[in-house]
């Protein structure tokens, strides 16, 4: 009876704390105040160092049972440590490039400060490039430019053409000429070094094959292409030494390829190969000119290598303007082409005068004579 009465007096005494969910003050649970618990979660004190003081009964009301009478010290320490660790992980920002990029693209608030390591910055930049959005790429580049040393920035950009092109436009637009000049200079050097490395690898590989031909190890890509056009013209397209395969591997432009191939094959008098370089099949099997070179350049290369008159005349026929065609034909002394143009213009007088300038009894002279005698031409004079 006394025990029951003591309990009743204990719970109804006004100076004892009541477990009240509506109490906004620091309510004490098991002798531990809410403020103290928050401090432990925030990591403002060490559980290991202060556990003894923290668990002493003199910090609680004298007639409240100590916490260690309910759970063991080991269990309590484990709980507090786990809670501290949980909060540390919660406060650590998450590095998620896909989410960050989505927020940038949608115009939502975003933070880039959590991308501290080089790896995370690189991943963020690659994600921006993959998005294909120029603004997002530029935002990431500017952030990286402010947080990395110059050598690392340059390495990241030079290995990513999409990024470096956007940054170059940005520097040009903002008139940051010194940075732009440095970047462009470095870009040229980088591209030349890469091209030289690839070329050396190709040369070493070629020397190890049965198709090996004398070639200086320090030759340029175009020198290697000339060698391939000269010695390996008929190699299959997938072959290591194939001129077209070499061009693809080393980013040789169509204009460079056609110029080297045309000059090389013409110098070898390989006239049958000329058409395959600059002509393609047209409508109903006809041939049409498809080239990155000007027709004047093609004709000049052929003329310098003493191409047959018939081949010159064929390429001259791809010039639609007759006056321009006539001028080039006279310059190249392609007599057959000149005669054909006068016939097309139905200019009998001009053709007669031109015939008189030709060597008598020559092939071109008789060709002009036959044209003048043709009954199918309706001369205009």
């Amino acid at each position: 009876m006394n025990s029951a009465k003591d309990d009743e007096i204990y719970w109804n005494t006004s100076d004892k704390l009541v477990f009240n969910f509506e109490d906004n003050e620091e309510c004490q649970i098991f002798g531990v105040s809410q403020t103290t618990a928050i401090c432990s979660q925030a990591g403002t004190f060490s559980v290991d160092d202060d556990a003894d003081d923290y668990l002493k009964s003199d910090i609680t009301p004298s007639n409240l049972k100590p916490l260690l009478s309910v759970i063991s010290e080991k269990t309590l320490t484990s709980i507090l440590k786990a809670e501290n660790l949980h909060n540390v992980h919660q406060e650590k920002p998450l590095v998620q490039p896909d989410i960050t990029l989505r927020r940038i693209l949608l115009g939502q608030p975003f933070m880039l400060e959590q991308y501290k390591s080089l790896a995370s910055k690189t991943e963020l930049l690659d994600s921006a490039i993959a998005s294909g959005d120029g603004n997002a790429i530029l935002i990431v580049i500017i952030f990286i430019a402010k947080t990395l040393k110059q050598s690392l920035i340059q390495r990241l950009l030079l290995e990513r053409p999409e990024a470096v092109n956007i940054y170059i436009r940005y520097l040009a637009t903002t008139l940051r000429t010194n940075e732009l000049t440095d970047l462009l200079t470095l870009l040229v050097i980088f591209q030349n070094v890469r091209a030289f490395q690839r070329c050396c690898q190709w040369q070493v590989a070629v020397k190890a094959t049965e198709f090996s031909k004398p070639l200086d190890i320090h030759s340029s890509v175009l020198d290697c292409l000339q060698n391939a056009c000269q010695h390996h013209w008929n190699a299959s397209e997938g072959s290591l030494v194939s001129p077209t395969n070499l061009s693809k591997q080393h980013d040789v432009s169509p204009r460079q390829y056609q110029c080297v191939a045309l000059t090389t094959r013409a110098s070898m008098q390989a006239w049958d190969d000329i058409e395959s370089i600059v002509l393609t099949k047209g409508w109903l099997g006809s041939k049409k000119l498809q080239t990155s070179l000007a027709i004047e350049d093609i004709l000049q290369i052929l003329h310098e290598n003493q191409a047959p008159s018939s081949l010159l005349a064929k390429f001259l026929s791809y010039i639609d303007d007759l006056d321009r065609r006539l001028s080039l034909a006279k310059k190249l002394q392609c007599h057959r082409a000149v005669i054909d143009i006068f016939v097309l213009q139905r200019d009998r007088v001009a053709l007669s005068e031109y015939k008189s300038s030709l060597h008598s009894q020559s092939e071109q002279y008789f060709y002009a004579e036959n044209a003048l005698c043709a009954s199918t031409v309706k001369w205009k004079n």
Side-chain angles (χ1 to χ4, degrees):
M1 292 294 294
N2 289 336
S3 176
K5 185 175 181 179
D6 291 340
D7 287 343
E8 184 178 355
I9 294 173
Y10 176 85
W11 287 110
N12 288 282
T13 304
S14 61
D15 61 352
K16 300 298 182 287
L17 293 177
V18 180
F19 185 74
N20 186 355
F21 287 104
E22 297 179 356
D23 191 354
N24 291 325
E25 301 297 328
E26 296 177 357
C27 60
Q28 300 216 4
I29 305 172
F30 294 124
V32 183
S33 71
Q34 187 177 14
T35 302
T36 309
I38 292 173
C39 291
S40 71
Q41 293 178 9
T44 57
F45 69 94
S46 170
V47 173
D48 292 335
D49 296 338
D50 301 333
D52 292 339
D53 293 336
Y54 174 71
L55 298 175
K56 286 180 180 179
S57 61
D58 58 3
I59 68 171
T60 65
S62 58
N63 50 0
L64 188 63
K65 294 182 180 180
L67 179 59
L68 293 181
S69 66
V70 181
I71 60 175
S72 68
E73 179 179 353
K74 181 179 180 181
T75 302
L76 177 60
T77 303
S78 298
I79 291 173
L80 294 176
K81 282 185 176 181
E83 187 66 22
N84 253 348
L85 186 61
H86 173 72
N87 287 332
V88 168
H89 286 310
Q90 268 193 330
E91 293 170 3
K92 184 178 180 181
L94 296 175
V95 178
Q96 296 178 303
D98 54 338
I99 295 178
T100 302
L101 259 296
R102 184 162 60 247
R103 297 185 69 85
I104 293 175
L105 295 173
L106 294 176
Q108 298 174 345
F110 61 89
M111 291 182 61
L112 302 180
E113 289 75 11
Q114 66 265 35
Y115 295 90
K116 298 183 182 299
S117 67
L118 175 61
S120 65
K121 288 181 172 70
T122 303
E123 187 179 0
L124 180 63
L125 178 58
D126 288 337
S127 297
I129 293 172
S131 74
D133 187 271
N135 290 332
I137 296 173
L138 183 57
I139 288 171
V140 174
I141 293 175
I142 293 174
F143 163 70
I144 290 175
K146 292 178 178 178
T147 57
L148 287 180
K149 59 182 181 181
Q150 195 66 17
S151 60
L152 292 177
I153 298 169
Q154 292 170 347
R155 191 184 78 185
L156 284 177
L157 293 179
L158 293 177
E159 293 175 349
R160 294 163 175 81
E162 306 93 333
V164 76
N165 290 337
I166 289 174
Y167 196 49
I168 285 173
R169 288 197 295 271
Y170 166 74
L171 293 177
T173 303
T174 55
L175 302 179
R176 297 165 67 173
T177 53
N178 290 337
E179 293 179 59
L180 178 60
T181 302
D182 292 343
L183 183 58
L184 289 175
T185 302
L186 190 63
L187 181 61
V188 171
I189 295 173
F190 178 78
Q191 290 176 337
N192 288 339
V193 170
R194 290 288 294 271
F196 177 74
Q197 289 175 339
R198 292 197 302 267
C199 188
C200 288
Q201 290 171 0
W202 181 84
Q203 293 168 29
V204 171
V206 168
K207 284 182 177 292
T209 68
E210 58 181 341
F211 305 106
S212 175
K213 296 290 180 181
L215 187 66
D216 184 3
I217 194 65
H218 298 297
S219 300
S220 68
V221 172
L222 295 184
D223 288 337
C224 294
L225 179 59
Q226 181 182 6
N227 181 279
C229 289
Q230 183 177 358
H231 300 291
H232 312 294
W233 181 254
N234 294 318
S236 60
E237 186 172 346
S239 171
L240 174 67
V241 294
S242 164
T244 53
N245 188 38
L246 173 63
S247 298
K248 291 177 182 177
Q249 288 182 346
H250 298 279
D251 299 323
V252 176
S253 70
R255 188 179 189 282
Q256 289 175 319
Y257 170 77
Q258 289 181 336
C259 184
V260 172
L262 191 66
T263 302
T264 303
R265 300 311 293 172
S267 68
M268 299 177 68
Q269 309 286 297
W271 307 122
D272 292 340
D273 298 329
I274 300 301
E275 291 189 15
S276 66
I277 298 172
V278 293
L279 297 182
T280 186
K281 287 185 178 180
W283 184 250
L284 298 177
S286 62
K287 296 288 184 69
K288 67 176 182 179
L289 194 66
Q290 186 178 37
T291 175
S292 301
L293 299 173
I295 187 65
E296 291 86 353
D297 294 335
I298 296 174
L299 288 166
Q300 186 63 35
I301 291 172
L302 295 177
H303 176 67
E304 289 174 355
N305 288 280
Q306 301 177 342
S309 178
S310 58
L311 185 61
L312 289 174
K314 183 170 186 175
F315 278 96
L316 280 165
S317 68
Y318 288 104
I319 301 175
D320 295 329
D321 187 289
L322 287 180
D323 291 334
R324 181 179 167 218
R325 188 192 302 178
L326 178 61
S327 176
L328 279 173
K330 288 181 177 180
K331 180 181 178 181
L332 299 173
Q333 294 185 338
C334 185
H335 304 300
R336 179 181 290 269
V338 173
I339 295 168
D340 289 340
I341 293 169
F342 285 140
V343 171
L344 286 173
Q345 292 177 332
R346 296 180 298 149
D347 193 341
R348 185 183 181 90
V349 174
L351 179 55
S352 298
E353 292 177 354
Y354 191 74
K355 186 189 82 167
S356 64
S357 68
L358 299 174
H359 189 276
S360 59
Q361 307 303 312
S362 66
E363 180 182 350
Q364 294 81 11
Y365 182 90
F366 286 116
Y367 187 74
E369 182 69 30
N370 291 334
L372 287 168
C373 296
S375 59
T376 56
V377 180
K378 295 182 179 181
W379 302 102
K380 67 179 181 180
N381 52 29

